[in-house]
Amino acid sequence: MSSANIALLGAIAGFTIYLGLPIGRLRKPTPRLKAGLNAVAIGILVFLLWDVLTHAWEPTDEALGKHEWGAVASDGFTLVAGLAAGLLGLVYYDGWMARRRGGEAASRPAGPGAVGATELAPKHRSQAASLALMIATGIGLHNFAEGLAIGNSAAKGVLSLAILLVIGFGLHNATEGFGIVAPLAAAGERPSWLALFWLGLIGGGPTFLGTLVGQRLVNDTVSIAFLGLAAGSILYVVIELFAVARKTGFKTLTAWCVLTGLVLGFATDAVVTAAGA
């Protein structure tokens, strides 16, 4: 199979993320539906966090078993650095954006001219829209690492594995699309089709890019770095979504829907595991 065909399969695996995005266009969901959508997204992302960290730790774990201390140190440091950059980077970014919004609000004039000034002021993304963008970014980093796996398998001549990975990742990415827009649906915000297009491109496009890179570069360090970044950013988003879930008051519903999201994650990942076997 040619490199172009492998790249095309990588694109298909990535852009199945668009299958779950239209859920964000739901009209006026009820409070219970909002809470349920938010909780299912938490379950999917908790599974994804476990899955990402498992794959990121695997090279270090293997090096520990072989007593290759240099690899243990380098791979472990790469993972910790990626985690820190993904988690703390979003914490500081969110704090900076909050201070910026507060400063601009304080600087707006009062009085008769205030209405006109407010209309001319640039509009900021809502908290739900920011969460959706963060989720798409974290998933995109993860999907780049998935693309590397597809490309690496093709580069090693194991085409059957590459194709099965494409099928498995494609199924998995469809659930990730739902996870991206769940905060918007839970907040009752209806994104435009253009916004959904960009969210899908951010989340799914890296699978295609990773497939291109993976066919030419087989490097565990690069994969660990992207998986660490993905894990850190996903962890931050999970913390934020749990805060939203607590405010809804639907404790039992939240527990059941988190469980549903976890089961969806394991079910779709089972295809990838079967391919690896």
Side-chain angles (χ1 to χ4, degrees), residues 167-236:
I167 296 171
F169 291 149
L171 289 171
H172 196 59
N173 286 346
T175 63
E176 291 172 353
F178 167 74
I180 291 172
V181 296
L184 294 169
E189 296 182 22
R190 223 166 154 254
S192 66
W193 287 111
L194 181 60
L196 292 182
F197 168 77
W198 286 113
L199 288 172
L201 191 63
I202 293 168
T207 308
F208 169 68
L209 295 177
T211 302
L212 293 178
V213 174
Q215 291 184 77
R216 295 165 177 79
L217 175 66
V218 181
N219 189 301
D220 280 344
T221 302
V222 174
S223 180
I224 292 170
F226 276 95
L227 288 171
L229 280 168
S233 57
I234 291 169
L235 177 57
Y236 174 82

Side-chain angles (χ1 to χ4, degrees), residues 1-15 146-167 169 205-216:
M1 186 177 291
S2 67
S3 297
N5 287 337
I6 293 296
L8 177 61
L9 289 175
I12 293 171
F15 291 118
E146 288 186 346
L148 288 176
I150 295 170
N152 285 175
S153 299
K156 295 173 182 177
V158 191
L159 295 179
S160 59
L161 174 58
I163 293 171
L164 287 172
L165 288 176
V166 166
I167 296 171
F169 291 149
T207 308
F208 169 68
L209 295 177
T211 302
L212 293 178
V213 174
Q215 291 184 77
R216 295 165 177 79

Side-chain angles (χ1 to χ4, degrees), residues 100-121:
R100 184 182 174 190
R101 285 192 294 267
E104 289 187 1
S107 65
R108 289 173 189 164
V115 175
T118 301
E119 290 175 351
L120 293 174

Side-chain angles (χ1 to χ4, degrees), residues 38 42 45-46 49 87-88 91 127 131 135 231-246:
N38 185 75
I42 291 173
L45 291 174
V46 167
L49 177 62
L87 176 60
L88 299 180
V91 169
Q127 183 180 15
L131 272 176
I135 294 172
S233 57
I234 291 169
L235 177 57
Y236 174 82
V237 171
V238 168
I239 293 170
E240 293 292 297
L241 291 181
F242 267 120
V244 173
R246 185 173 291 275

Side-chain angles (χ1 to χ4, degrees), residues 69-89:
W69 306 117
V72 169
S74 63
D75 291 346
F77 175 79
T78 301
L79 175 57
V80 171
L83 272 169
L87 176 60
L88 299 180

Side-chain angles (χ1 to χ4, degrees), residues 26-64:
L26 287 174
R27 291 181 180 274
K28 296 181 180 180
T30 65
R32 289 183 66 85
L33 180 57
K34 290 178 183 180
L37 291 171
N38 185 75
V40 172
I42 291 173
I44 292 171
L45 291 174
V46 167
F47 166 79
L48 193 58
L49 177 62
W50 168 81
D51 189 48
V52 169
L53 286 175
T54 299
H55 286 89
W57 179 249
E58 189 174 341
T60 306
D61 197 43
E62 290 180 359
L64 281 168

